[in-house]
Structure formats: C-alpha cells, structure tokens
Amino acid sequence: MRKSRWGFVLVLMIVPVVGAKPTESGPATAPPPWAYGFNAATGAAVDDTPDSQARGGKDDGTLRHVPGSALSFTLTQLRNIWAPADWFPNDHPTMPDVVAHGHKPDVRACSFCHYPNGKGRPVNTNLAGLPYDYILHALAEFRNGERTSADDRKGNTRVMIGFAKAMSDDEMEAAARYFSSMKWTAWIRVVETEMVPKTRIANGIFLRVGGDEKEPIGDRIIETPENVELMEVLRDDRSGFIAYVPAGSVKKGEALVRTGGGKTIQCATCHGSDLMGMQQPGKNGNSISVPGLAGRSPSYTARQLFDMQHGFRQGEWTNQMQPVVANLNADDMLAIAAYLASRPVPPSSNH
C-alpha cells in the first residue's frame, strides 16, 4: 500500500478538560448495546454483510416504487452492492465511481450503506456535510488500524476497515469531495418517551414489529425508521429516522453540552455555538475542520464517545478527546447523544 499523501490532522474537541471533577459512578465501563445495534451486552451478533441485506423476500421481478420518484426497481436492483438503485438522482451531485459502484472485488459502492445522499443509517454514519478533510482523516484511521469498535460483534466496522485498506488515495479523495459537498439537512426526529414501540433488530437497526405493543425504553435510545418498509426493503433515502430517547434525557444532555456539568467542557468550544462545526487553528498555521454534531445519529454519537473513552479510536487528535470524555458515564453519553440529535439543523448548513 502506498503511503498516504495527506498532511493534515483533525479534532473533534481539542481542548483538554481542566479541573473536571470525577463522576460519582465513574466512567462508562461497558459499551452500551443499543448504540452498537444490540439488545443486550452479550449474545449472537447480527451480520451486516451484503447477503444479510437481502430483505423483502425473494425477488419475483415486481417493479417497486417509492413516493416522489418516477423510477422503479426490482428487489435485485435494490440489493445490488455494486450499483445500488438511486431513487432521486437529482437530489445529489453526480456520484464518483467509487460511490456509485465501488471496485470489485474489495470495495462495494459507498452509496449502498451510506445512501446516495450520504445520510446513512444508525448502523454506520451520516456523511453528508462533514468536512472534506475530516472524512479523509476518518478513512485514514480505518486504514491504519486506529479506528475499531469496542463491541466485537459490530461486523460492519471490520468491513469498513477492509474497504479503507483496499481504496486508493484517489478514491478516498473522490468520496470525501462528494459527501462533503452536500448540505446536512434534518434526517432524525427525536421523541422523548418512557414507553417505546416494540422492536426487533435486523442488521444492527431497531425495526418496529408492527401493532401497538410497547415496552419500557429503559436506559436506551431506540433509533428506528420512520417507515420500516421504505427503509428496510426499498432503501428510500428520503425516508428518515425517529430517535426515541428517555424522558428528561434531552434536558440533562443540554446541561452537559452547554456547560460541561463539571465533567467535561462545553462542546461549543470546538464544535461551534450552533454545534454545526467550525474551523480551529492547527499545526503550522493550518486550520482544522471540526465536524458538526447537531441533528446527527445519537447511536453513532454514543458509539464514538465510548470508543474514544476506551481507546478504540486513536490518532494524534482523536487522542485529545480522551480527557474530554474521560469522566462521562453511560447515562451522560446517552444524554449528550439525545440532546445533540435533537438540535435543529440550519437550512444553509454545510460545514
């Protein structure tokens, strides 16, 4: 593998915690299963490989449709990891080849998991509108073994590591240019509740089972499609997600994000007053792109907080997040993720 030509560094929050007080319960000790796509801390993993994505039954050749699109596709076309169906080609720029098709046999199309619009699903991440250099840095961390998962059952992390190792620098740069060129717009609706619709997990995503049966939400965030059929079978990338969060968690998260709560620093210090990201001074006079946090997947946010706290994400600047998250317990991470997901996304956001 040829050496990467990138000479930048990235940071999420680069200011160390000064005088932060230890929490009463201490830092989080185990990965929150809900954030990694599981119901319990132990048990069999749900595979996230292409074969397991063949949902909706056997393809009988029927042409499928989604609201607002004049196009039609069969289930086979929808499941094609080398050329995923694109319902709304006018919603995004022309996809570079690695996004539209990947390259056989080692890299499937980025748009298969992250969708053509880059908004993705809770099991991966929302790429649209992230800074170009931040996306490149994340890919480099996957490639270099600096970014793994605290939960060994999360198979798509290993898949992503394999993709990054197989991608060329040119492919990484093309993908980063594409996803960073699109604005991040509202995709997740946050609902506080004590009871949540009953769900099952498929490929790391909570899916409502139908009917009116409910169960206590407990200490979880349940991120589920607005319309299970449109997301799970038809891959409609205009159909977003609901994040059910425990009652009171948004207010608790606001206190931690806005003041630090004696455990960390204000997220706005590095991520901007609107939490949409900003530029920070870097080495040798270069600026550093700090990603936005507002309105993004709470499952993803909680995973990253835990992974950074326990060293499953490394790298020169990611390591500086470790003191920022060192004193957060599992409840804190849930609350922060809930609050950040609830924040409105300005219509003109493209940080």
Side-chain angles (χ1 to χ4, degrees):
M1 183 186 302
R2 59 194 173 98
K3 184 178 179 181
S4 173
R5 57 175 174 263
W6 308 313
F8 54 81
V9 289
L10 260 290
V11 60
L12 287 178
M13 290 187 283
I14 62 175
V15 182
V17 178
V18 179
K21 300 176 182 178
T23 63
E24 292 181 1
S25 58
T29 57
W34 57 266
Y36 293 81
F38 304 102
N39 265 323
T42 59
V46 178
D47 193 12
D48 194 36
T49 59
D51 286 344
S52 70
Q53 306 245 7
R55 300 178 285 256
K58 184 178 179 180
D59 186 4
D60 61 4
T62 300
L63 290 173
R64 309 300 178 105
H65 304 270
V66 302
S69 176
L71 302 177
S72 58
F73 300 100
T74 65
L75 286 178
T76 297
Q77 291 173 313
L78 291 166
R79 298 166 180 168
N80 185 354
I81 64 173
W82 307 113
D86 183 3
W87 291 110
F88 304 103
N90 293 327
D91 281 6
H92 56 79
T94 300
M95 289 186 281
D97 197 54
V98 69
V99 175
H101 303 291
H103 75 240
K104 296 181 179 180
D106 300 316
V107 182
R108 66 179 180 240
C110 304
S111 60
F112 184 76
C113 291
H114 295 284
Y115 291 162
N117 64 7
K119 290 190 172 182
R121 303 172 298 156
V123 72
N124 45 64
T125 188
N126 318 129
L127 292 175
L130 289 178
Y132 167 79
D133 47 357
Y134 176 79
I135 295 173
L136 285 181
H137 191 72
L139 287 168
E141 286 181 332
F142 281 120
R143 173 192 278 179
N144 298 333
E146 295 175 330
R147 187 164 180 157
T148 57
S149 175
D151 194 320
D152 289 338
R153 299 172 296 172
K154 190 163 172 49
N156 66 329
T157 301
R158 292 188 295 275
V159 170
M160 190 65 219
I161 291 169
F163 292 165
K165 289 181 177 180
M167 292 172 72
S168 68
D169 284 355
D170 287 340
E171 287 175 324
M172 289 186 175
E173 290 166 4
R177 277 192 299 270
Y178 175 76
F179 289 118
S180 65
S181 73
M182 290 182 286
K183 295 178 181 178
W184 176 245
T185 56
W187 182 239
I188 299 160
R189 179 167 62 94
V190 173
V191 176
E192 285 197 322
T193 184
E194 295 180 354
M195 301 293 291
V196 67
K198 191 169 183 179
T199 55
R200 63 182 177 88
I201 293 179
N203 303 293
I205 300 176
F206 288 87
L207 301 178
R208 296 189 301 283
V209 298
D212 298 325
E213 190 173 357
K214 294 190 176 184
E215 61 187 4
I217 191 169
D219 297 324
R220 302 178 297 168
I221 291 176
I222 303 298
E223 203 168 346
T224 186
E226 290 274 10
N227 185 302
V228 173
E229 173 77 7
L230 288 178
M231 189 287 298
E232 176 73 356
V233 178
L234 301 179
R235 299 175 49 79
D236 177 1
D237 59 358
R238 283 187 181 176
S239 184
F241 287 80
I242 308 169
Y244 293 103
V245 306
S249 60
V250 171
K251 184 176 180 180
K252 179 180 178 182
E254 181 178 15
L256 288 165
V257 168
R258 294 298 179 187
T259 72
K263 299 179 179 182
T264 183
I265 64 167
Q266 299 174 9
C267 296
T269 302
C270 294
H271 292 275
S273 59
D274 60 358
L275 301 170
M276 291 303 301
M278 60 188 293
Q279 296 294 116
Q280 288 281 1
K283 287 186 176 181
N284 303 319
N286 296 322
S287 64
I288 296 169
S289 299
V290 184
L293 302 175
R296 294 189 180 266
S297 166
S299 303
Y300 177 82
T301 297
R303 285 198 302 272
Q304 302 318 301
L305 292 173
F306 188 90
D307 285 354
M308 287 186 287
Q309 185 182 69
H310 292 270
F312 291 92
R313 280 188 60 176
Q314 292 292 330
E316 181 178 0
W317 292 101
T318 301
N319 289 345
Q320 295 200 36
M321 270 294 293
Q322 290 177 345
V324 176
V325 301
N327 293 324
L328 300 177
N329 60 34
D331 289 341
D332 298 330
M333 292 181 183
L334 184 155
I336 289 170
Y339 175 70
L340 293 174
S342 75
R343 302 311 302 146
V345 181
S348 61
S349 66
N350 192 22
H351 296 262

